[in-house]
Amino acid sequence: MTTMSFLRLLAADSPASAFDGPVDRAVESGSGTRTLDELAEAHRLALKVRHLLDTSRQREAELSALFETAGELASRTELQSVLEAIVARSRRLLGSDISYLTLVDHEAGDSYTTVTDGGASALFNEVRVPMGEGVGGRVAQTGIPYNTPNYFEDDRIKHTASTDAAVQEEGLVSLLGVPLMLEHRVIGVLFAANRTQRPFSAADTALLASLGAHAAIAIDKARLRSESQTRLDDLRVAGELLRKQNADIRRAAEAHDRLTALVLQGGDLVDVADEVKSLLDGEVVIADTSGAPIAATANDVSVERLAELHARALDAMTTQVEMNASAAPVVAGADTLGSITLLRDAAGQADLRVLERAAQVTGLLLLFRRSLAASELRVRGELLEDVLLGRAEEGMIERARLLGVDPDAAFALLAIEVRGERNRLADSAAHLAATQHGLSTMHGGRLVVAIPSRAPREAAEAVTAELTRIAGQSLTIGVSGSAGGARRVRAAYAEARTCLETLLALGRRGQIADTEDLGFIGLLLSKNKDVDGYVRMVLGPLLDYDAERGTSLEETLQSYFRNAGNVNQTGQSLHLHPKTVSQRLDRVTHLLGPDWNSPDSRLQVQIALHLRAVLHRLDR
């Protein structure tokens, strides 16, 4: 037997047990000690060479596997796909029962399982491991590989209930974890694990660490690709949005040009509404600040349906959108003038831009109309001011007719006390008078309103109701009537002004009064002193009662006043029982009202009785 036998065995890649054959045969054949020593040394060297060849082949296989892994990872672009490839290759190369990978959440201070190959436990994939706990927490914190042959018997590991429960449910015993390092920073941990006590060798640790190094680079590249793709997608979306916005802006600008041209050509609000309907393919309503429609493309629009949307648009001063309607506020400078509403489902941003441009044009048109109205009201006020001041009447009739005012009509003249901020009240009065073909102005610190009417008191009450609502307080108003002609208007205003000043002097603020309402004071102040009318105003019901029933209530009342309101003395002078006098006075109260005997009313009744007595004597 020679050493050639061992060379032949090495060349044949025989198993290690076959290398014992030459030595055994030499012993059996009775070879000498020297021969046996040489064969033993050759046997030892041959086995060493065989081990080196096995190690070399294993290293070559591992390197080949690493190159294959690197190539496979490089070909994958999605992060999840990269992680799955790393875990699957790790399990196959190390021949472990399970392989898995965790990523570190530096903000939360823990790590979590992302991919598992060979696992069966749902809890294992859900648990989060804090830094320093378990194998994963220890590797993530230290950045050093860790190998334990028996997890639950390893006192070097910091055990926690949640981590131990996950490991136990998966049935793991031997664990090996290596860090995934990126620029001296642990980004994750790669694991190989067995469900029996099969420890991992140093070569296994080196191999898994090599896989981990490739994995960290691949993960970083995948993340960069993902982030780059996300940025590219964001840029693409932003580009599309910019193109769409530019198109929307061009469309809105073209709509604005069309609407502006329409107004410059003399179009009104109805024309604007029709144009917006054509542009946006929906019904359009333009409303004033109160929500009342002032122009619409449809006649059957429900004001109540739009009221809430209109109010929200004016409160927020921005476009408001509902399921089937959109409203934009109409604003000019600091003034809110109303709203424009589009009745249509699913109005997009481009449509809302056009609607907002239409609101701007509508605001300009309303502002122009307001300016014209203000000029007309100013001219109307100047005409009434000229009449009240008695300026030259030449041309006044023509001026009145040009303003739609009939100079020959009968007018109700109102003199109104103005307290506090007067501009809003004066503007409202001027607008109200204009709608009734009348005039209004501020004159001598008082608001003067002239309304065509043959029933001054009724006209005054109608005007007062509206102006009181606007002023938010009761108004004090003197009223007078006038036939046509500037001089009669001036005279009627003088009487209305006198009634107003009288109300204020008597402390009757917040009331409306003409000369009749002022009683005997009005009789004295009136230019047309109607004594009989005054008597009838005060005593009419009582006089009619006496005439119809032949009673003597007038005589009883005269005697009552002569006797200073003493019922017993009144009864003696009339030869009546005091109880009868009281019954007659109760009848007087029923006819003249419960306050006839109050200080102010008593004076009115006494004067009326005196005037009636005088008139009776004059008739004789």
Side-chain angles (χ1 to χ4, degrees):
M1 292 292 174
T2 64
T3 56
M4 291 297 295
S5 299
F6 293 108
L7 292 176
R8 292 189 186 96
L9 290 172
L10 288 172
D13 196 19
S14 299
S17 59
F19 284 78
D20 294 336
V23 177
D24 293 340
R25 284 191 294 273
V27 171
E28 291 174 359
S29 62
S31 299
T33 303
R34 183 175 180 180
T35 300
L36 292 175
D37 290 341
E38 290 178 354
L39 286 175
E41 179 64 14
H43 177 268
R44 185 183 66 79
L45 292 174
L47 287 177
K48 185 176 182 179
V49 170
R50 187 184 185 284
H51 176 71
L52 289 174
L53 289 174
D54 288 344
T55 302
S56 178
R57 281 196 297 268
Q58 182 180 355
R59 184 61 178 165
E60 183 180 351
E62 289 176 355
L63 288 174
S64 176
L66 286 175
F67 282 124
E68 289 178 9
T69 301
E72 182 180 358
L73 295 179
S75 66
R76 297 176 182 251
T77 58
E78 293 184 2
L79 179 60
Q80 186 65 23
S81 176
V82 169
L83 298 179
E84 291 172 356
I86 291 169
V87 171
R89 185 59 62 95
S90 300
R91 182 187 180 199
R92 188 162 63 252
L93 288 177
L94 271 71
S96 60
D97 294 332
I98 179 174
S99 182
Y100 59 98
L101 186 148
T102 63
L103 291 179
V104 175
D105 186 342
H106 291 283
E107 291 185 3
D110 60 13
S111 58
Y112 57 95
T113 303
T114 55
V115 179
T116 303
D117 188 62
S121 168
L123 177 62
F124 193 77
N125 292 322
E126 294 172 358
V127 69
R128 295 182 73 99
V129 181
M131 290 293 186
E133 295 183 7
V135 174
R138 178 184 180 119
V139 175
Q141 187 178 60
T142 64
I144 300 173
Y146 190 82
N147 183 2
T148 178
N150 193 313
Y151 174 85
F152 289 101
E153 294 179 1
D154 193 339
D155 295 334
R156 296 172 300 167
I157 300 172
K158 183 179 180 180
H159 293 271
T160 60
S162 59
T163 305
D164 287 359
V167 173
Q168 186 173 22
E169 184 169 311
E170 190 61 56
L172 303 181
V173 178
S174 302
L175 281 86
L176 169 61
V178 298
L180 305 182
M181 304 291 294
L182 191 64
E183 295 181 354
H184 308 291
R185 184 186 187 196
V186 179
I187 64 171
V189 180
L190 180 60
F191 291 88
N194 293 316
R195 294 188 174 89
T196 58
Q197 189 167 333
R198 288 188 291 145
F200 293 95
S201 66
D204 293 333
T205 302
L207 178 59
L208 193 62
S210 298
L211 282 171
H214 285 292
I217 296 172
I219 289 171
D220 187 46
K221 287 183 178 180
R223 278 177 172 172
L224 290 175
R225 289 193 197 98
S226 178
E227 291 173 0
S228 297
Q229 187 61 48
T230 300
R231 292 191 184 97
L232 287 174
D233 292 341
D234 291 342
L235 288 173
R236 191 177 299 109
V237 171
E240 291 296 329
L241 288 175
L242 284 174
R243 282 191 288 274
K244 187 175 184 304
Q245 286 177 358
N246 287 335
D248 292 347
I249 291 171
R250 285 196 300 272
R251 181 188 176 202
E254 290 170 0
H256 187 273
D257 292 341
R258 286 174 59 177
L259 291 167
T260 303
L262 179 68
V263 173
L264 293 176
Q265 293 167 6
D268 57 14
L269 292 176
V270 173
D271 296 323
V272 170
D274 289 337
E275 186 68 19
V276 176
K277 177 181 179 180
S278 174
L279 288 167
L280 300 181
D281 191 26
E283 301 298 339
V284 178
V285 179
I286 299 174
D288 61 17
T289 52
S290 69
I294 52 179
T297 58
N299 296 324
D300 57 348
V301 176
S302 171
V303 177
E304 292 77 12
R305 174 192 169 194
L306 302 180
E308 182 179 350
L309 186 62
H310 163 86
R312 288 213 320 266
L314 266 58
D315 288 343
M317 293 305 292
T318 57
T319 302
Q320 299 295 305
V321 180
E322 288 185 349
M323 184 180 298
N324 55 4
S326 306
V330 175
V331 180
D335 295 333
T336 302
L337 305 177
S339 69
I340 179 169
T341 301
L342 172 67
L343 301 176
R344 203 197 76 188
D345 294 340
Q349 289 299 318
D351 299 325
L352 297 180
R353 285 181 181 273
V354 173
L355 186 66
E356 288 166 355
R357 293 296 182 96
Q360 293 176 1
V361 173
T362 302
L364 291 175
L365 188 56
L366 287 174
L367 191 62
F368 179 65
R369 286 178 53 177
R370 176 187 282 186
S371 298
L372 288 178
S375 298
E376 180 183 343
L377 294 178
R378 185 172 60 254
V379 172
R380 287 176 174 273
E382 291 171 352
L383 174 60
L384 182 56
E385 183 75 10
D386 288 343
V387 170
L388 297 178
L389 292 174
R391 292 172 179 161
E393 297 183 17
E394 295 180 7
M396 279 193 181
I397 292 177
E398 185 62 24
R399 287 169 63 191
R401 286 177 175 162
L402 287 173
L403 294 172
V405 178
D406 182 2
D408 298 323
F411 284 86
L413 268 293
L414 284 66
I416 306 172
E417 179 198 22
V418 179
R419 290 182 290 165
E421 201 279 320
R422 74 182 199 178
N423 290 337
R424 183 182 178 195
L425 186 63
D427 291 343
S428 299
H431 176 73
L432 183 61
T435 60
Q436 300 186 36
H437 305 289
L439 303 170
S440 178
T441 188
M442 289 297 301
H443 180 74
R446 303 303 186 192
L447 177 59
V448 184
V449 179
I451 301 291
S453 176
R454 293 187 177 278
R457 182 56 185 261
E458 294 178 7
E461 290 175 350
V463 171
T464 301
E466 180 65 19
L467 295 184
T468 298
R469 182 185 64 80
I470 295 169
Q473 59 181 332
S474 299
L475 299 175
T476 309
I477 302 177
V479 184
S480 180
S482 167
R487 290 189 181 87
R488 292 178 180 176
V489 168
R490 284 197 300 276
Y493 167 68
E495 186 170 295
R497 175 69 179 260
T498 301
C499 290
L500 171 61
E501 302 303 334
T502 302
L503 284 175
L504 296 175
L506 294 174
R508 294 168 58 181
R509 181 169 268 116
Q511 297 184 16
I512 306 173
D514 55 16
T515 54
E516 290 186 3
D517 296 319
L518 295 174
F520 72 92
I521 296 176
L523 179 66
L524 296 174
L525 298 174
S526 175
K527 302 258 187 260
N528 303 312
K529 296 180 174 57
D530 183 5
V531 177
D532 188 60
Y534 173 76
V535 172
R536 291 294 306 172
M537 180 188 72
V538 178
L539 298 175
L542 183 144
L543 299 177
D544 292 341
Y545 190 89
D546 277 350
E548 292 173 3
R549 291 171 174 76
T551 54
S552 304
L553 295 181
E554 179 184 359
E555 179 184 3
T556 303
L557 205 53
Q558 288 174 338
S559 177
Y560 177 75
F561 285 128
R562 282 198 300 270
N563 289 285
N566 188 300
V567 174
N568 291 327
Q569 291 179 7
T570 301
Q572 292 176 5
S573 64
L574 295 175
H575 306 290
L576 296 173
H577 192 277
K579 188 175 181 179
T580 302
V581 174
S582 296
Q583 290 174 345
R584 290 187 179 185
L585 292 177
D586 289 341
R587 177 57 60 184
V588 170
T589 299
H590 177 74
L591 295 170
L592 300 185
D595 61 342
W596 69 270
N597 205 17
S598 64
D600 290 341
S601 297
R602 185 189 306 149
L603 180 59
Q604 298 258 31
V605 173
Q606 286 180 290
I607 291 173
L609 288 171
H610 285 305
L611 290 173
R612 176 164 170 76
V614 172
L615 290 174
H616 184 68
R617 286 194 292 271
L618 290 175
D619 288 341
R620 291 181 182 177

